[in-house]
Amino acid sequence: MENGKRIGIACDHAGYQMKEFLVGWLAGKGYEIYDFGCDSEESCDYPDYAHQLGSAIEAGTVPQGVALCGSGNGISIALNKHQGVRAALCWTPELAELARRHNDANVCSLPARFIDNDMATAIVDKFLSEKFEGGRHERRVAKIPLSDIEAPQPKEKQKA
């Protein structure tokens, strides 16, 4: 299968039902899905699944992903610890569009407790259909990784 038709998906217990719905929906659109869990509504820790998805993106196993937790925040924070992952919290299709076009986001994070399945598919559909604009945004995205950045030195405090 071509690189653009592989996608990873990960969630915690709060996102499990929506993840299962999206797995079927994405399969129907021809995606090869790498499901990193979780596998039930039993309470679990989102970083365990976020790190699996983040590692798969770093390794090139999947080029993009969808991540879900209750608010979408926690799983995004964990995913963004991985160099090369740009997870964007998207609760509307417009935010998904801007995340792709301006930030070259490669993970769409969804707040499963705040949106329904129809909104989730609208958001993910927009996320998957948009392309990175490049241009002025390319310079900004290139500044995201920390590997080439020197830590700033604190300025000396001035006496009053």
Side-chain angles (χ1 to χ4, degrees):
M1 181 166 287
E2 68 179 86
N3 195 39
K5 294 299 270 185
R6 288 192 324 254
I7 192 164
I9 193 164
C11 70
D12 71 355
H13 56 282
Y16 173 72
Q17 288 295 329
M18 187 172 284
K19 180 200 73 154
E20 291 298 297
F21 172 81
L22 288 171
V23 164
W25 180 78
L26 287 163
K29 293 180 78 64
Y31 282 86
E32 180 181 0
I33 299 143
Y34 290 69
D35 186 344
F36 296 101
C38 74
D39 298 318
S40 76
E41 291 182 273
E42 185 177 329
S43 183
C44 63
D45 301 329
Y46 58 81
D48 296 339
Y49 306 99
H51 291 313
Q52 290 180 51
L53 174 56
S55 294
I57 290 172
E58 285 177 316
T61 305
V62 294
Q64 57 197 346
V66 175
L68 306 94
C69 72
S71 68
N73 283 314
I75 204 158
S76 293
I77 291 167
L79 279 158
N80 282 321
K81 296 297 181 184
H82 293 264
Q83 292 298 309
V85 172
R86 291 173 303 282
L89 174 57
C90 302
W91 63 91
T92 67
E94 295 82 8
L95 288 172
E97 176 182 356
L98 290 173
R100 284 290 307 127
R101 290 176 61 202
H102 292 189
N103 309 117
D104 199 18
N106 53 11
V107 177
C108 180
S109 297
L110 301 173
R113 289 189 173 140
F114 296 90
I115 61 173
D116 62 18
N117 287 345
D118 288 338
M119 181 58 76
T121 56
I123 292 167
V124 174
D125 192 48
K126 181 58 81 171
F127 185 84
L128 295 174
S129 67
E130 291 296 325
K131 303 288 184 228
F132 180 49
E133 278 182 11
R136 70 184 191 274
H137 305 292
E138 200 162 349
R139 179 182 76 247
R140 296 166 185 158
V141 171
K143 291 180 178 182
I144 293 172
L146 291 174
S147 59
D148 297 334
I149 303 220
E150 196 173 302
Q153 298 301 313
K155 294 181 181 179
E156 200 172 305
K157 190 173 181 180
Q158 300 211 357
K159 297 179 182 178

